[in-house]
Amino acid sequence: MYSSLRRLLAAAILAGCPAWALAQGTEVAFGAFTHDSTLPVEVTAESLAVDQSDGTAIFSGNVVIGQGEMRISAGRVLITYAEGGDATGQVERLEASGGVTLVSGAEAAEASEAVYSIETGVIVMTGDVVLTQGRNALSSQRLTVNLQSGTGVLEGGVRTILQTNAP
């Protein structure tokens, strides 16, 4: 519910602000989103189901994943282990659904779903994406964040609000 209200508020701001722009695809810098795959990943959730046969684990219910300063929260997260990784704990990818929020520093993004490929450091968020960077807000249908390069690309009905003057 909180996520829906936040999206509604962001949409209202985007619709009513004269400083918005429309574009097919927009590349943005992500200073606070960083990636250090050597840091431990901490997961909290209401429940966990592990399937040894296919090397997956499903966390559900108020899932929060943290790695360094980055946090991902969602209703459900499917973790796929690297081949043989179920024994070593080496995670290949995370697939989050049920309202996803990604936060790092002053930057935050929300979407319906997200896929985080650990080795490449790429997160793809899809479905009603809302990104805030300080006072600036952007929305689209797809956001691809490259945590190693610190860049991102928004695609699909991109709208932006760029604040040009101090508060």
Side-chain angles (χ1 to χ4, degrees):
M1 173 111 173
Y2 173 76
S3 179
S4 297
L5 290 174
R6 186 168 175 190
R7 285 193 187 129
L8 182 61
L9 177 60
I13 291 170
L14 288 171
C17 180
W20 63 270
L22 292 174
Q24 289 300 315
T26 302
E27 185 169 331
V28 293
F30 288 88
F33 286 127
T34 57
H35 175 68
D36 183 350
S37 61
T38 64
L39 294 174
V41 175
E42 181 180 344
V43 182
T44 60
E46 298 294 324
S47 67
L48 167 64
V50 177
D51 187 339
Q52 295 286 339
S53 67
D54 67 359
T56 62
I58 298 174
F59 289 90
S60 57
N62 300 316
V63 182
V64 178
I65 300 171
Q67 185 177 34
E69 292 188 24
M70 187 173 66
R71 298 283 177 266
I72 298 173
S73 61
R76 178 183 184 272
V77 175
L78 169 68
I79 294 181
T80 304
Y81 292 97
E83 191 170 325
D86 54 344
T88 63
Q90 184 179 359
V91 175
E92 184 175 283
R93 66 191 268 140
L94 306 173
E95 297 177 31
S97 59
V100 181
T101 303
L102 170 66
V103 177
S104 187
E107 297 174 337
E110 291 186 353
S112 299
E113 299 178 341
V115 175
Y116 178 16
S117 300
I118 303 293
E119 185 176 323
T120 62
V122 173
I123 300 174
V124 178
M125 302 182 78
T126 56
D128 299 321
V129 177
V130 175
L131 168 67
T132 57
Q133 293 181 304
R135 295 179 45 222
N136 298 325
L138 301 97
S139 69
S140 69
Q141 287 304 307
R142 179 182 172 102
L143 168 63
T144 303
V145 178
N146 185 321
L147 297 172
Q148 294 178 346
S149 67
T151 61
V153 176
L154 291 144
E155 300 171 291
V158 178
R159 293 185 76 164
T160 65
I161 297 175
L162 304 173
Q163 301 294 336
T164 58
N165 51 3

